[in-house]
Amino acid sequence: MRTQPTLTLADMKEITGISIAAIQKLLDQLIHRKYVERGAKDGSWQVFVTQ
């Protein structure tokens, strides 16, 4: 998401091989913890956590 901020859920499913429902659940947790945010204007992902 950091290197490809315009990823869709379908893109993430193809890359990871996990279901869209599972991806959405994980994203909801990340959003709740303020680790990622979806841009309102262009829908791109903003990642706030680094390794």
Side-chain angles (χ1 to χ4, degrees):
M1 292 169 62
R2 186 177 305 129
T3 60
Q4 293 180 310
T6 58
L7 283 175
T8 64
L9 294 179
D11 294 335
M12 292 179 202
K13 178 186 184 301
E14 188 172 319
I15 292 167
T16 63
I18 62 175
S19 71
I20 289 179
I23 291 169
Q24 186 63 61
K25 184 176 179 177
L26 292 168
L27 284 172
D28 289 345
Q29 292 173 8
L30 292 172
I31 291 167
H32 177 74
R33 293 180 178 144
K34 309 249 188 257
Y35 292 156
V36 298
E37 182 178 278
R38 189 76 167 180
K41 195 173 202 178
D42 62 0
S44 63
W45 292 100
Q46 295 177 316
V47 179
F48 301 109
V49 177
T50 59
Q51 293 182 0

